[in-house]
Amino acid sequence: MKVLIHCGKFSRYVFEQNYKQLAIELPIVLDCAITNDCIDAGKELCELIIYLMEVVTTLPSESKIIFLRDVVYFSRQIDDCDMEVRTSIKIAEIFQSNNAFQSAYRILSEAETNARERDNLNLVAKLHVAAGAVSYSEQDFEYATKYFFSAIGLYSSLGIEPPIDVLSNFATSLMDIGQLKHAAEIYNDILSNNIETELIQEIYLNLMICYRDLNEWEMVQDIFDKIDISYF
């Protein structure tokens, strides 16, 4: 009954967009869900919060982080590492967008510790992808390269094909630290896959830069002939 009462309040605050009261009610209703063994209800509320933090544009970043932190705490209490990692990545993205890079690394590191304790390398790989994005945003291309390389290695060790965007980010990071031949190899490997036309055009542009700086002018011309300037 207590959970239903709190859920009723929660729903009303969501409908009214009363985020101040919602912030007060969220930890109460999540704690109540655990105390009364209503874990599924708590998880549904967490998913709603995650969704709201994506679509609501009027909330300041600090408020979104507070909401999402409550979700992380709940996830840890019910031992839902997947939800913890997904939410931690969203928090890191908010920190990243506000140039609070160390805070982003910290939340990702906390989630990685828990993922490793559960030997969930798939989640560790996702966290390394997120950390690579933070490093790249910080223009620390060396660390971005290391994180993307680690993620690719983890995916491969699990028999999972690394996502194309991770491979592309890895190649771009390599290009930014001057490892042009390696970057070009990865870009060409990506082009052998069935990928979106827009990404193909972006890769062509980066390949031209690689080959130009490698003084491979025939390759530059070859790639130039394939570029569709309408994408730029």
Side-chain angles (χ1 to χ4, degrees):
M1 181 62 71
K2 285 184 178 179
V3 175
L4 290 175
I5 292 172
H6 284 298
C7 284
K9 290 182 180 178
F10 188 90
S11 299
R12 187 174 79 249
Y13 295 146
V14 170
F15 179 76
E16 295 173 349
Q17 298 183 10
N18 187 342
Y19 298 114
K20 183 177 180 180
Q21 285 301 125
L22 190 61
I24 296 171
E25 190 67 25
L26 179 60
I28 297 173
V29 70
L30 292 179
D31 185 59
C32 190
I34 293 173
T35 303
N36 292 274
D37 196 26
C38 296
I39 304 303
D40 287 343
K43 291 174 73 171
E44 288 180 9
L45 290 176
C46 285
E47 293 295 349
L48 176 58
I49 287 297
I50 292 171
Y51 170 74
L52 285 174
M53 296 306 103
E54 288 182 351
V55 300
V56 174
T57 58
T58 55
L59 272 178
S61 296
E62 300 82 15
S63 298
K64 290 186 176 184
I65 289 170
I66 290 172
F67 278 111
L68 293 173
R69 271 290 196 181
D70 284 335
V71 174
V72 169
Y73 294 147
F74 177 78
S75 302
R76 289 175 182 169
Q77 288 179 283
I78 66 171
D79 198 26
D80 189 333
C81 197
D82 180 76
M83 181 181 284
E84 178 189 351
V85 167
R86 285 190 294 116
T87 311
S88 295
I89 289 173
K90 291 184 183 298
I91 294 173
E93 289 171 348
I94 296 173
F95 279 131
Q96 176 185 335
S97 67
N98 288 278
N99 296 328
F101 301 115
Q102 294 309 309
S103 295
Y105 290 127
R106 191 178 305 113
I107 189 70
L108 294 173
S109 177
E110 291 172 3
E112 181 177 347
T113 297
N114 292 331
R116 286 193 179 278
E117 286 177 356
R118 290 154 184 77
D119 200 30
N120 194 325
L121 296 183
N122 187 18
L123 293 180
V124 174
K126 292 179 180 180
L127 288 163
H128 283 199
V129 171
V134 173
S135 297
Y136 196 89
S137 180
E138 193 180 11
Q139 297 190 334
D140 189 339
F141 304 123
E142 289 281 356
Y143 267 99
T145 301
K146 291 177 182 177
Y147 278 123
F148 291 134
F149 180 73
S150 173
I152 291 167
L154 288 167
Y155 281 127
S156 298
S157 71
L158 295 169
I160 300 172
E161 193 71 25
I164 293 297
D165 62 328
V166 178
L167 293 171
S168 179
N169 290 339
F170 178 49
T172 304
S173 299
L174 286 169
M175 186 175 73
D176 285 321
I177 63 173
Q179 295 190 26
L180 303 176
K181 286 187 177 181
H182 193 182
E185 289 173 4
I186 295 172
Y187 281 136
N188 282 310
D189 286 342
I190 295 172
L191 289 173
S192 66
N193 293 274
N194 183 21
I195 59 177
E196 295 180 357
T197 303
E198 186 174 352
L199 179 58
I200 291 174
Q201 294 299 317
E202 290 176 5
I203 289 175
Y204 282 161
L205 186 60
N206 286 342
L207 273 173
M208 279 185 58
I209 295 171
C210 288
Y211 288 133
R212 180 201 65 192
D213 292 346
L214 289 168
N215 291 318
E216 297 185 22
W217 297 106
E218 288 185 8
M219 294 300 297
V220 172
Q221 184 62 52
D222 180 63
I223 298 297
F224 178 79
D225 292 339
K226 299 176 182 178
I227 284 183
D228 183 345
I229 60 173
S230 65
Y231 283 90
F232 303 101

